[in-house]
Short mmCIF file of all heavy atoms in Angstrom, two decimals:
data_model
loop_
_atom_site.label_atom_id
_atom_site.label_comp_id
_atom_site.label_asym_id
_atom_site.label_seq_id
_atom_site.Cartn_x
_atom_site.Cartn_y
_atom_site.Cartn_z
N ILE A 12 109.95 -79.21 7.71
CA ILE A 12 109.27 -78.23 8.55
C ILE A 12 109.62 -78.54 10.00
O ILE A 12 109.32 -79.62 10.51
CB ILE A 12 107.75 -78.28 8.34
CG1 ILE A 12 107.43 -77.91 6.89
CG2 ILE A 12 107.04 -77.36 9.31
CD1 ILE A 12 105.96 -78.00 6.57
N LEU A 13 110.30 -77.60 10.61
CA LEU A 13 110.74 -77.77 11.99
C LEU A 13 109.82 -77.01 12.91
O LEU A 13 109.40 -75.90 12.61
CB LEU A 13 112.17 -77.25 12.14
CG LEU A 13 113.20 -77.83 11.16
CD1 LEU A 13 114.54 -77.15 11.36
CD2 LEU A 13 113.32 -79.33 11.36
N ALA A 14 109.50 -77.58 14.03
CA ALA A 14 108.69 -76.90 15.04
C ALA A 14 109.59 -76.49 16.19
O ALA A 14 110.42 -77.26 16.64
CB ALA A 14 107.59 -77.82 15.55
N CYS A 15 109.43 -75.26 16.62
CA CYS A 15 110.20 -74.81 17.78
C CYS A 15 109.30 -73.96 18.64
O CYS A 15 108.24 -73.51 18.21
CB CYS A 15 111.43 -74.02 17.37
SG CYS A 15 111.07 -72.38 16.77
N VAL A 16 109.70 -73.74 19.85
CA VAL A 16 108.95 -72.93 20.80
C VAL A 16 109.79 -71.73 21.16
O VAL A 16 110.97 -71.85 21.47
CB VAL A 16 108.62 -73.75 22.06
CG1 VAL A 16 107.81 -72.91 23.03
CG2 VAL A 16 107.83 -75.00 21.68
N ALA A 17 109.18 -70.54 21.11
CA ALA A 17 109.88 -69.34 21.56
C ALA A 17 110.21 -69.49 23.02
O ALA A 17 109.55 -70.23 23.75
CB ALA A 17 108.99 -68.12 21.33
N PRO A 18 111.25 -68.80 23.50
CA PRO A 18 111.64 -68.95 24.90
C PRO A 18 110.46 -68.77 25.83
O PRO A 18 109.78 -67.75 25.80
CB PRO A 18 112.68 -67.84 25.08
CG PRO A 18 113.20 -67.59 23.71
CD PRO A 18 112.06 -67.83 22.79
N ALA A 19 110.20 -69.78 26.64
CA ALA A 19 109.10 -69.70 27.58
C ALA A 19 109.66 -69.48 28.96
O ALA A 19 110.72 -69.94 29.30
CB ALA A 19 108.29 -71.00 27.56
N GLY A 20 108.95 -68.72 29.75
CA GLY A 20 109.45 -68.65 31.10
C GLY A 20 109.05 -67.49 31.91
O GLY A 20 108.00 -66.94 31.80
N ALA A 21 109.96 -67.17 32.72
CA ALA A 21 109.71 -66.45 33.94
C ALA A 21 109.60 -64.97 33.74
O ALA A 21 110.50 -64.24 34.06
CB ALA A 21 110.83 -66.78 34.93
N THR A 22 108.51 -64.54 33.14
CA THR A 22 108.19 -63.12 33.20
C THR A 22 107.19 -62.93 34.33
O THR A 22 106.80 -63.89 34.99
CB THR A 22 107.58 -62.65 31.88
OG1 THR A 22 106.36 -63.34 31.68
CG2 THR A 22 108.51 -62.90 30.72
N THR A 23 106.78 -61.67 34.51
CA THR A 23 105.81 -61.40 35.56
C THR A 23 104.58 -62.26 35.36
O THR A 23 103.99 -62.31 34.29
CB THR A 23 105.42 -59.92 35.55
OG1 THR A 23 106.61 -59.14 35.70
CG2 THR A 23 104.47 -59.59 36.67
N GLY A 24 104.16 -62.93 36.40
CA GLY A 24 102.96 -63.76 36.31
C GLY A 24 103.21 -65.10 35.64
O GLY A 24 102.28 -65.81 35.31
N GLY A 25 104.47 -65.50 35.46
CA GLY A 25 104.77 -66.79 34.87
C GLY A 25 104.35 -66.89 33.42
O GLY A 25 103.77 -67.88 32.99
N LEU A 26 104.68 -65.86 32.62
CA LEU A 26 104.26 -65.80 31.23
C LEU A 26 104.97 -66.87 30.40
O LEU A 26 106.19 -66.97 30.40
CB LEU A 26 104.56 -64.41 30.67
CG LEU A 26 104.19 -64.17 29.21
CD1 LEU A 26 102.68 -64.21 29.05
CD2 LEU A 26 104.74 -62.84 28.74
N ASP A 27 104.19 -67.66 29.68
CA ASP A 27 104.72 -68.63 28.73
C ASP A 27 104.15 -68.31 27.36
O ASP A 27 102.94 -68.14 27.20
CB ASP A 27 104.32 -70.06 29.11
CG ASP A 27 105.01 -70.55 30.37
OD1 ASP A 27 106.17 -70.16 30.57
OD2 ASP A 27 104.38 -71.30 31.13
N TYR A 28 105.02 -68.23 26.35
CA TYR A 28 104.56 -67.95 25.00
C TYR A 28 104.01 -69.22 24.35
O TYR A 28 104.51 -70.32 24.59
CB TYR A 28 105.70 -67.40 24.15
CG TYR A 28 106.27 -66.11 24.64
CD1 TYR A 28 107.64 -65.94 24.76
CD2 TYR A 28 105.44 -65.05 25.01
CE1 TYR A 28 108.18 -64.75 25.23
CE2 TYR A 28 105.96 -63.86 25.47
CZ TYR A 28 107.34 -63.71 25.58
OH TYR A 28 107.85 -62.54 26.05
N PRO A 29 103.02 -69.09 23.50
CA PRO A 29 102.54 -70.25 22.75
C PRO A 29 103.64 -70.80 21.84
O PRO A 29 104.53 -70.06 21.40
CB PRO A 29 101.38 -69.69 21.93
CG PRO A 29 100.99 -68.42 22.60
CD PRO A 29 102.24 -67.87 23.20
N ALA A 30 103.56 -72.07 21.56
CA ALA A 30 104.48 -72.66 20.60
C ALA A 30 104.25 -72.06 19.22
O ALA A 30 103.11 -71.94 18.77
CB ALA A 30 104.30 -74.17 20.55
N THR A 31 105.33 -71.66 18.56
CA THR A 31 105.24 -71.08 17.23
C THR A 31 106.06 -71.93 16.27
O THR A 31 107.29 -71.89 16.31
CB THR A 31 105.75 -69.63 17.21
OG1 THR A 31 105.01 -68.86 18.15
CG2 THR A 31 105.57 -69.02 15.83
N PRO A 32 105.41 -72.70 15.42
CA PRO A 32 106.17 -73.52 14.46
C PRO A 32 107.02 -72.65 13.53
O PRO A 32 106.63 -71.54 13.16
CB PRO A 32 105.09 -74.26 13.68
CG PRO A 32 103.88 -74.23 14.56
CD PRO A 32 103.97 -72.93 15.31
N VAL A 33 108.16 -73.18 13.18
CA VAL A 33 109.03 -72.56 12.19
C VAL A 33 108.92 -73.34 10.90
O VAL A 33 109.12 -74.56 10.89
CB VAL A 33 110.49 -72.53 12.69
CG1 VAL A 33 111.42 -72.08 11.56
CG2 VAL A 33 110.63 -71.62 13.89
N GLN A 34 108.56 -72.66 9.83
CA GLN A 34 108.48 -73.28 8.51
C GLN A 34 109.43 -72.50 7.61
O GLN A 34 109.03 -71.54 6.96
CB GLN A 34 107.06 -73.26 7.98
CG GLN A 34 106.08 -74.04 8.85
CD GLN A 34 104.67 -74.01 8.32
OE1 GLN A 34 104.41 -73.47 7.25
NE2 GLN A 34 103.74 -74.58 9.06
N PRO A 35 110.69 -72.88 7.60
CA PRO A 35 111.71 -72.02 6.95
C PRO A 35 111.47 -71.82 5.46
O PRO A 35 111.29 -72.76 4.71
CB PRO A 35 113.01 -72.79 7.20
CG PRO A 35 112.72 -73.69 8.36
CD PRO A 35 111.28 -74.07 8.21
N VAL A 36 111.48 -70.56 5.08
CA VAL A 36 111.46 -70.16 3.68
C VAL A 36 112.68 -69.30 3.46
O VAL A 36 112.99 -68.42 4.27
CB VAL A 36 110.18 -69.35 3.34
CG1 VAL A 36 110.21 -68.88 1.90
CG2 VAL A 36 108.95 -70.18 3.63
N GLN A 37 113.39 -69.55 2.39
CA GLN A 37 114.55 -68.73 2.07
C GLN A 37 114.28 -67.94 0.80
O GLN A 37 113.84 -68.49 -0.20
CB GLN A 37 115.81 -69.58 1.92
CG GLN A 37 116.33 -70.14 3.24
CD GLN A 37 117.69 -70.77 3.09
OE1 GLN A 37 118.20 -70.94 1.98
NE2 GLN A 37 118.30 -71.11 4.21
N ASP A 38 114.52 -66.64 0.87
CA ASP A 38 114.39 -65.77 -0.29
C ASP A 38 115.77 -65.41 -0.79
O ASP A 38 116.65 -65.04 -0.01
CB ASP A 38 113.66 -64.47 0.09
CG ASP A 38 112.25 -64.73 0.60
OD1 ASP A 38 111.64 -65.71 0.15
OD2 ASP A 38 111.78 -63.95 1.44
N ARG A 39 115.95 -65.53 -2.08
CA ARG A 39 117.20 -65.08 -2.67
C ARG A 39 117.00 -63.61 -3.05
O ARG A 39 116.29 -63.27 -3.99
CB ARG A 39 117.56 -65.90 -3.91
CG ARG A 39 119.00 -65.69 -4.39
CD ARG A 39 119.26 -66.52 -5.64
NE ARG A 39 119.04 -67.93 -5.42
CZ ARG A 39 119.93 -68.75 -4.87
NH1 ARG A 39 121.10 -68.27 -4.48
NH2 ARG A 39 119.66 -70.03 -4.71
N VAL A 40 117.59 -62.74 -2.29
CA VAL A 40 117.35 -61.30 -2.41
C VAL A 40 118.68 -60.59 -2.63
O VAL A 40 119.57 -60.63 -1.78
CB VAL A 40 116.67 -60.75 -1.13
CG1 VAL A 40 116.41 -59.26 -1.28
CG2 VAL A 40 115.37 -61.47 -0.86
N GLY A 41 118.80 -59.93 -3.77
CA GLY A 41 119.99 -59.14 -4.03
C GLY A 41 121.29 -59.92 -3.89
O GLY A 41 122.29 -59.40 -3.38
N GLY A 42 121.29 -61.17 -4.29
CA GLY A 42 122.50 -61.96 -4.23
C GLY A 42 122.75 -62.63 -2.89
O GLY A 42 123.76 -63.30 -2.72
N GLN A 43 121.85 -62.48 -1.94
CA GLN A 43 122.01 -63.14 -0.65
C GLN A 43 120.75 -63.90 -0.29
O GLN A 43 119.67 -63.62 -0.81
CB GLN A 43 122.35 -62.13 0.45
CG GLN A 43 121.32 -61.04 0.65
CD GLN A 43 121.69 -60.07 1.74
OE1 GLN A 43 122.04 -60.47 2.85
NE2 GLN A 43 121.65 -58.79 1.43
N ARG A 44 120.90 -64.86 0.62
CA ARG A 44 119.76 -65.63 1.08
C ARG A 44 119.28 -65.06 2.41
O ARG A 44 120.06 -64.87 3.33
CB ARG A 44 120.13 -67.10 1.26
CG ARG A 44 120.31 -67.86 -0.04
CD ARG A 44 120.62 -69.32 0.22
NE ARG A 44 120.79 -70.06 -1.01
CZ ARG A 44 119.80 -70.66 -1.66
NH1 ARG A 44 118.58 -70.59 -1.17
NH2 ARG A 44 120.02 -71.33 -2.77
N LEU A 45 117.99 -64.81 2.49
CA LEU A 45 117.37 -64.33 3.72
C LEU A 45 116.31 -65.33 4.16
O LEU A 45 115.49 -65.77 3.37
CB LEU A 45 116.73 -62.96 3.51
CG LEU A 45 117.66 -61.81 3.17
CD1 LEU A 45 116.86 -60.54 2.93
CD2 LEU A 45 118.68 -61.59 4.28
N SER A 46 116.35 -65.67 5.44
CA SER A 46 115.39 -66.62 5.98
C SER A 46 114.14 -65.91 6.45
O SER A 46 114.21 -64.84 7.07
CB SER A 46 116.01 -67.39 7.15
OG SER A 46 115.05 -68.27 7.72
N ASP A 47 113.01 -66.48 6.15
CA ASP A 47 111.72 -65.97 6.61
C ASP A 47 110.99 -67.13 7.29
O ASP A 47 110.16 -67.79 6.67
CB ASP A 47 110.91 -65.41 5.44
CG ASP A 47 109.66 -64.67 5.88
OD1 ASP A 47 109.39 -64.65 7.10
OD2 ASP A 47 108.96 -64.12 5.02
N PRO A 48 111.29 -67.39 8.56
CA PRO A 48 110.77 -68.60 9.20
C PRO A 48 109.28 -68.54 9.52
O PRO A 48 108.70 -69.57 9.87
CB PRO A 48 111.60 -68.68 10.49
CG PRO A 48 112.01 -67.27 10.77
CD PRO A 48 112.21 -66.64 9.43
N TYR A 49 108.67 -67.36 9.42
CA TYR A 49 107.27 -67.24 9.82
C TYR A 49 106.37 -66.82 8.65
O TYR A 49 105.33 -66.20 8.85
CB TYR A 49 107.15 -66.25 10.99
CG TYR A 49 108.01 -66.65 12.18
CD1 TYR A 49 109.14 -65.91 12.51
CD2 TYR A 49 107.71 -67.78 12.91
CE1 TYR A 49 109.95 -66.29 13.57
CE2 TYR A 49 108.51 -68.17 13.98
CZ TYR A 49 109.63 -67.42 14.30
OH TYR A 49 110.42 -67.81 15.35
N ARG A 50 106.78 -67.19 7.45
CA ARG A 50 105.99 -66.86 6.27
C ARG A 50 104.57 -67.41 6.38
O ARG A 50 103.61 -66.80 5.88
CB ARG A 50 106.68 -67.41 5.02
CG ARG A 50 106.00 -67.15 3.69
CD ARG A 50 106.08 -65.69 3.26
NE ARG A 50 107.45 -65.22 3.17
CZ ARG A 50 108.28 -65.42 2.14
NH1 ARG A 50 107.87 -66.11 1.09
NH2 ARG A 50 109.50 -64.93 2.16
N TRP A 51 104.42 -68.52 7.04
CA TRP A 51 103.10 -69.14 7.14
C TRP A 51 102.10 -68.27 7.89
O TRP A 51 100.88 -68.40 7.70
CB TRP A 51 103.20 -70.52 7.80
CG TRP A 51 103.61 -70.52 9.26
CD1 TRP A 51 104.87 -70.43 9.75
CD2 TRP A 51 102.73 -70.62 10.38
NE1 TRP A 51 104.85 -70.46 11.12
CE2 TRP A 51 103.56 -70.58 11.53
CE3 TRP A 51 101.36 -70.74 10.53
CZ2 TRP A 51 103.03 -70.66 12.83
CZ3 TRP A 51 100.83 -70.81 11.82
CH2 TRP A 51 101.66 -70.78 12.94
N LEU A 52 102.60 -67.32 8.69
CA LEU A 52 101.70 -66.44 9.44
C LEU A 52 101.12 -65.32 8.57
O LEU A 52 100.34 -64.51 9.07
CB LEU A 52 102.45 -65.84 10.63
CG LEU A 52 102.74 -66.81 11.78
CD1 LEU A 52 103.63 -66.15 12.82
CD2 LEU A 52 101.44 -67.30 12.42
N GLU A 53 101.48 -65.28 7.30
CA GLU A 53 100.87 -64.30 6.40
C GLU A 53 99.45 -64.71 5.98
O GLU A 53 98.73 -63.91 5.40
CB GLU A 53 101.74 -64.13 5.15
CG GLU A 53 103.08 -63.47 5.42
CD GLU A 53 103.90 -63.31 4.16
OE1 GLU A 53 103.40 -63.65 3.08
OE2 GLU A 53 105.05 -62.84 4.26
N GLN A 54 99.05 -65.92 6.29
CA GLN A 54 97.72 -66.37 5.91
C GLN A 54 96.65 -65.69 6.77
O GLN A 54 96.89 -65.34 7.93
CB GLN A 54 97.61 -67.89 6.07
CG GLN A 54 98.60 -68.67 5.21
CD GLN A 54 98.55 -70.15 5.54
OE1 GLN A 54 97.74 -70.89 4.98
NE2 GLN A 54 99.41 -70.59 6.46
#
Side-chain angles (χ1 to χ4, degrees):
I12 297 177
L13 306 176
C15 74
V16 181
T22 63
T23 303
L26 180 67
D27 290 326
Y28 299 132
T31 303
V33 171
Q34 298 180 5
V36 177
Q37 288 190 351
D38 298 329
R39 193 181 302 278
V40 181
Q43 59 180 310
R44 287 182 179 271
L45 296 177
S46 177
D47 189 356
Y49 304 110
R50 181 71 57 82
W51 67 278
L52 288 173
E53 292 180 3
Q54 300 173 87

